[in-house]
Amino acid sequence: MLHNFYLIHQHTGICLIHRKYGTIEFNQDLVSGFLTALKDFSVEFSKGSGELKVIDMQVFYLLLVFKEGVLCTAAADKNDDAKITHKALTDIIDQFVGKFSGQLENWSGDVRIFRNFEKVIDDVLKVGKVAEIQLKIPILKIFKKDFMKSQKRIAKKGLVLSEEDLRKVKDVKPEWAAKRLPKQVIATGVLDKEEFKIAHLADGFHTIADIAEESGHPETVIQKIINNLDKLELLSYVEIR
C-alpha cells in the first residue's frame, strides 16, 4: 500500500498535492521537516532527472522521483514493488509537467489550481494499491491447522487477514505458537538449537524480515533456514495481500 503521496514544487518546497490512502500518519512537525528534506533531496536529483531514490524509514520506504522542477514521493510498505511505484510516479510527473509546466514558470503559490489533477493521481496509483504484491508468510505446518481455523472464524465475520493486520499484531504471539516441533529434530541433527528456536517464529504472522529482526540474524541466514525447513517439509506459507 502507498500510504501517502506528495507532489512538491522544487524551488519553493511547497506541497502542491497530497493524497492519503493508508494508515501511516505524519504529525504536523514531521511533515514540515519531511517537506524541507524533500526540497534538499531535489537538489541531489537535479543531475539525474527521473531517477528513483529509496529511503528506508524502518517501518516503510520513501520513494522519490524528481523531474523538471517537480519532486514526488510516496510512503510505501516494504513489500510494495519499487519498479511499479517508480513507473507510476514517473507517469504522474510526466502528466503533471505536461499539463502545468507553463503555469509553474510564473506560479503565484496558489495550490488550488492543481486540485483537478488529484483524480489523475488516484487513478494512476489505483488509490494507493498500484504496487501491492502478494505477501508470502512462512508458517510451520504444526501451526497451519490452527491458523486456518482462526482464518475461518475471521471469514465468518466478513473479514480477511491483511498486511495491515500483520503490522498491528506482529508483536503478539498467537495461541498456536506455544506448540513445538519434536525435540528429535535436534537429537538427530536435522536442526541445531538455534535453528529450532528460529523455526518457531514462523507462525503465520512474522515475515522473514520480522524473524530476522527478532532473532538478531541477517535476512540471508533466516532465508536459508526457511528454505531448509521447506525442503524438510516442515513449512508451509500463507498468502496475504
Side-chain angles (χ1 to χ4, degrees):
M1 166 69 76
L2 303 182
H3 292 264
N4 285 272
F5 169 87
Y6 293 89
L7 196 66
I8 311 295
H9 186 243
Q10 176 200 0
H11 301 298
T12 63
I14 293 174
C15 180
L16 307 177
I17 300 175
H18 169 228
R19 305 300 290 157
K20 184 177 185 300
Y21 305 115
T23 58
I24 293 176
E25 298 284 352
F26 293 96
N27 63 43
Q28 194 59 47
D29 291 337
L30 182 58
V31 169
S32 297
F34 175 66
L35 297 181
T36 301
L38 292 183
K39 183 181 177 183
D40 294 338
F41 279 125
S42 69
V43 176
E44 178 184 341
F45 294 151
S46 61
K47 295 181 181 179
S49 183
E51 292 183 3
L52 176 69
K53 176 79 173 180
V54 180
I55 304 171
D56 190 343
M57 301 295 287
Q58 294 187 333
V59 295
F60 62 93
Y61 285 129
L62 286 181
L63 298 101
L64 305 96
V65 177
F66 170 79
K67 195 170 186 180
E68 297 185 37
V70 178
L71 178 68
C72 70
T73 182
D77 287 326
K78 289 195 169 184
N79 66 302
D80 279 12
D81 191 304
K83 290 183 179 179
I84 294 175
T85 303
H86 184 200
K87 184 178 183 300
L89 297 184
T90 301
D91 185 17
I92 289 171
I93 284 186
D94 287 343
Q95 291 193 54
F96 184 82
V97 171
K99 185 173 182 178
F100 296 107
S101 59
Q103 291 164 275
L104 287 173
E105 290 179 6
N106 300 298
W107 182 50
S108 65
D110 184 1
V111 298
R112 291 175 296 179
I113 64 174
F114 307 120
R115 283 181 181 171
N116 289 338
F117 196 75
E118 291 178 354
K119 187 179 185 307
V120 174
I121 294 172
D122 292 344
D123 289 344
V124 172
L125 298 182
K126 296 181 180 178
V127 198
K129 297 182 178 181
V130 65
E132 284 187 346
I133 57 176
Q134 203 161 47
L135 191 63
K136 293 181 69 176
I137 310 294
I139 182 170
L140 286 177
K141 288 184 177 180
I142 59 171
F143 298 154
K144 187 72 178 284
K145 185 177 179 180
D146 290 326
F147 179 89
M148 296 309 297
K149 284 181 179 178
S150 73
Q151 293 310 292
K152 287 180 180 179
R153 289 196 296 269
I154 291 173
K156 284 182 180 179
K157 298 178 182 179
L159 304 173
V160 293
L161 182 66
S162 68
E163 186 189 352
E164 181 59 30
D165 297 319
L166 293 182
R167 187 179 294 108
K168 292 177 181 177
V169 304
K170 72 176 185 178
D171 294 326
V172 180
K173 300 293 184 184
E175 294 177 5
W176 56 81
K179 290 185 176 181
R180 287 293 178 266
L181 292 168
K183 288 291 183 70
Q184 288 92 323
V185 296
I186 298 177
T188 57
V190 174
L191 299 175
D192 62 30
K193 289 183 179 180
E194 185 64 13
E195 290 171 338
F196 183 84
K197 179 181 177 181
I198 290 171
H200 293 91
L201 293 176
D203 57 10
F205 285 97
H206 286 72
T207 64
I208 289 175
D210 293 332
I211 294 172
E213 182 179 354
E214 186 163 333
S215 66
H217 293 284
E219 283 190 39
T220 52
V221 172
I222 300 303
Q223 186 65 66
K224 288 180 180 179
I225 294 173
I226 293 298
N227 291 343
N228 185 42
L229 291 169
D230 196 14
K231 289 179 182 178
L232 293 170
E233 298 185 351
L234 297 173
L235 194 75
S236 185
Y237 291 90
V238 292
E239 295 183 342
I240 299 169
R241 286 198 68 84

